[in-house]
Amino acid sequence: MIGGLKKTSLYLLAGASAFGLLVSGSPAAKAASMEELQAQMRAMQAQMQELQRQVNQAKSEAASAKASSGSGGSDLDLKVKWKGAPELSSSDGKFKFKVRGRLMGDFNSIDQDEAITGEPNVNGVELRRARLGVEGVVYYDWKYKFEVDFAGDASEVKDAYIAYANWADWEKSEILIGQFKTANSLEDMTSSRFITFMERSAFIEAFGIDRQIGTGVWAGDEHWSFQTGYFGGNTSNQETWFDSESTFSVRGTVAPINNDTTVVHLGANYRHRDAGTSDETGFAELFRYRARAADLHLADRFVQTPFIGENDDMFVLEGAAVYKRFSVQGEYAQLETNVAPGIAPGVKPTYNGWYIEGSVFLTDDMRNYEADEGAFGRVKPKNPVYGGSGGWGAWQLAGKYDVIDLSDGAAAINASGAPNAVMCEECGEQKTWLIGLNWWLTDYTALKFNVTQSEIEGGVNDGADITGFGMRAQIDW
């Protein structure tokens, strides 16, 4: 196009030169009649007007080409970035939008020691998670996230919130309103996509750590994180409550060492809950505490309490360390519950759960830590597996010991003569060993293999030995 402009300019210059010669050549001018001169001038004027039109048209086409190339202003002010799926944003960051999701297909084979438990063995497959959602930014500082899980032939809303962000000069500063995590465990704050084993530790299920509807503040930077919030119920039970349960939680973490090769994480959190009521009679929706055997999702529960808790308090201590390929992680949780007076007056059992795990990458890879959330993030293999890459991905070998103890106060609950007394028949302790092998093929795909064994002590399932094997294929975007 620039060459066209130069060519047109040369035409104008030639025309102007011819006109100058015509005017300055007085002998020729004198020889020509006045009519001939006027005719020639009119012809030259028409030619110059046509040349000027071509110049203007060339300039217009050049400006249009420049605008459509994105180097200038345009109605289509769009940037595309690939983050597992396309993330669309305006060039000034005013708006962002991304479709997100995950798929996890599991196989579980579990020997449930039927002779003691009365429950048959399990050999089955399931779509453990099938989530689809969106996230983005509106007007720079307003974030949103909405995600629904369609696994289990049912739909369940997971994250569903808006957040006002960037109100402080930290990596993360957000005020959230909606449904989100209550932030009460390192392993729970770590996404299911990035945890080391197929399922989280037993105390997370047993003590009811989950997403709830409320408002909260999340903040963090390179060496620390802080989360607190006040909550009611969640989207799965919001239609059943007359007076919703209430929850207060607070969590803080520090990472005194956080660099490319070494991470040290320390954290603590606290949660208080009050049970809600389900109808106008004021009948309480009491809390119960239970966990699946063998840390596998298709296993039955052989340690559990009835619905007994009127309110409870939970404390959790967190610790983790990473050095290149090696990592170790552990948590200790203690929960004290007030049993409803109609069930067992004055009884306040204390339950506890804890785990310790370690892992090593057989390849030159390591776990990724996100200090501003106080959680572990995406594993990013240095040599991913895809067509023609020749890469092996990242291979991770891990071991874990997981304990949940729900035996305290069982005798007092069973001996209660209260009008609404219940029997704590399965209030016992579960100890689980796990060995895991993870193959992180790419940043967004993985295969996981778990071998597990749980021993049950106390209650009607005392002496049961539950063994299992689990396998998972997962992808997210």
Side-chain angles (χ1 to χ4, degrees):
M1 188 60 66
I2 299 302
L5 287 174
K6 289 182 177 178
K7 185 176 180 181
T8 305
S9 299
L10 289 174
Y11 287 156
L12 285 174
L13 180 60
S17 299
F19 179 75
L21 288 172
L22 199 62
V23 173
S24 61
S26 55
K30 290 177 181 179
S33 66
M34 185 61 66
E35 291 80 4
E36 291 176 344
L37 285 174
Q38 289 177 348
Q40 290 176 6
M41 290 179 66
R42 284 194 297 269
M44 292 183 66
Q45 185 178 16
Q47 184 178 11
M48 293 180 68
Q49 288 175 349
E50 174 61 20
L51 291 172
Q52 184 64 51
R53 186 192 66 78
Q54 293 179 13
V55 170
N56 292 337
Q57 181 180 356
K59 288 182 177 179
S60 177
E61 291 175 355
S64 178
K66 183 179 180 181
S68 63
S69 69
S71 58
S74 171
D75 291 339
L76 188 62
D77 185 19
L78 182 65
K79 291 174 60 179
V80 180
K81 183 178 181 181
W82 189 264
K83 297 182 69 175
E87 181 184 84
L88 310 179
S89 63
S90 58
S91 60
D92 59 3
K94 188 176 183 179
F95 298 98
K96 289 184 181 180
F97 174 82
K98 179 181 181 293
V99 176
R100 55 178 290 124
R102 72 192 71 172
L103 289 173
M104 297 180 181
D106 286 8
F107 168 75
N108 284 183
S109 177
I110 308 167
D111 181 345
Q112 300 200 122
D113 202 351
E114 186 175 3
I116 296 178
T117 66
E119 297 295 338
N121 297 340
V122 174
N123 285 281
V125 295
E126 68 167 338
L127 199 57
R128 179 67 177 92
R129 293 178 178 89
R131 297 187 189 175
L132 187 63
V134 295
E135 63 181 351
V137 174
V138 176
Y139 277 86
Y140 304 107
D141 299 323
W142 293 94
K143 301 174 66 175
Y144 62 89
K145 184 178 179 182
F146 179 71
E147 193 170 53
V148 179
D149 196 333
F150 298 96
D153 217 15
S155 60
E156 180 182 0
V157 175
K158 292 299 183 179
D159 288 312
Y161 63 81
I162 59 174
Y164 179 69
N166 307 320
W167 46 265
D169 190 21
W170 304 320
E171 289 290 330
K172 181 178 289 293
S173 56
E174 299 177 359
I175 300 173
L176 297 85
I177 300 175
Q179 176 162 292
F180 50 94
K181 291 183 176 181
T182 59
N184 284 118
S185 162
L186 167 61
E187 195 171 40
D188 188 64
M189 286 295 290
T190 299
S191 170
S192 62
R193 299 166 294 170
F194 314 139
I195 56 177
T196 301
F197 291 87
M198 290 174 59
E199 303 295 335
R200 295 184 174 95
S201 301
F203 82 83
I204 294 176
E205 179 191 11
F207 296 165
I209 300 175
D210 201 356
R211 294 169 171 84
Q212 292 182 241
I213 301 173
T215 182
V217 175
W218 286 18
D221 214 332
E222 185 179 356
H223 294 285
W224 61 274
S225 76
F226 175 81
Q227 302 95 22
T228 187
Y230 185 79
F231 306 86
N234 58 40
T235 57
S236 64
N237 62 14
Q238 59 185 348
E239 294 183 358
T240 66
W241 297 99
F242 176 72
D243 180 16
S244 175
E245 71 174 89
S246 62
T247 300
F248 168 75
S249 71
V250 60
R251 175 178 184 254
T253 71
V254 293
I257 302 176
N258 180 24
N259 56 50
D260 292 339
T261 62
T262 309
V263 174
V264 174
H265 164 98
L266 299 171
N269 56 82
Y270 165 77
R271 184 195 69 187
H272 174 80
R273 296 190 302 176
D274 288 296
T277 55
S278 62
D279 54 39
E280 294 184 6
T281 66
F283 177 76
E285 287 281 354
L286 302 176
F287 300 122
R288 72 185 305 186
Y289 311 95
R290 57 182 185 167
R292 297 182 185 274
D295 284 7
L296 290 172
H297 189 250
L298 292 182
D300 288 293
R301 299 177 177 96
F302 303 116
V303 291
Q304 59 184 325
T305 73
F307 289 97
I308 58 174
E310 191 173 48
N311 56 68
D312 59 32
D313 293 277
M314 179 183 70
F315 301 87
V316 182
L317 297 176
E318 311 170 6
V322 177
Y323 178 68
K324 297 183 178 179
R325 302 181 183 188
F326 301 91
S327 74
V328 62
Q329 174 180 325
E331 296 185 79
Y332 174 81
Q334 179 176 292
L335 181 143
E336 182 180 273
T337 184
N338 288 314
V339 177
I343 293 175
V347 177
K348 296 183 177 181
T350 297
Y351 304 135
N352 61 75
W354 60 275
Y355 72 88
I356 182 72
E357 70 176 51
S359 73
V360 57
F361 279 92
L362 306 179
T363 51
D364 188 21
D365 297 281
M366 66 179 291
R367 300 183 75 188
N368 178 31
Y369 179 71
E370 298 176 349
D372 60 345
E373 292 189 0
F376 285 98
R378 186 180 302 278
V379 175
K380 300 179 179 180
K382 292 182 178 179
N383 296 291
V385 179
Y386 60 90
S389 71
W392 284 88
W395 289 80
Q396 182 185 23
L397 183 64
K400 183 176 185 178
Y401 185 58
D402 181 22
V403 177
I404 182 68
D405 187 352
L406 303 177
S407 61
D408 189 48
I413 294 172
N414 290 334
S416 173
N420 298 314
V422 296
M423 296 298 291
C424 203
E425 296 179 333
E426 295 182 297
C427 296
E429 183 179 13
Q430 176 177 286
K431 301 176 181 178
T432 305
W433 287 96
L434 302 93
I435 297 175
L437 177 65
N438 298 329
W439 185 13
W440 306 93
L441 292 96
T442 69
D443 293 6
Y444 300 93
T445 52
L447 297 175
K448 295 184 176 183
F449 307 89
N450 286 183
V451 177
T452 69
Q453 180 182 26
S454 289
E455 298 176 356
I456 311 299
E457 296 180 5
V460 298
N461 297 309
D462 184 45
D465 188 4
I466 316 299
T467 59
F469 169 76
M471 181 170 58
R472 169 174 296 168
Q474 72 177 52
I475 186 170
D476 74 282
W477 58 89

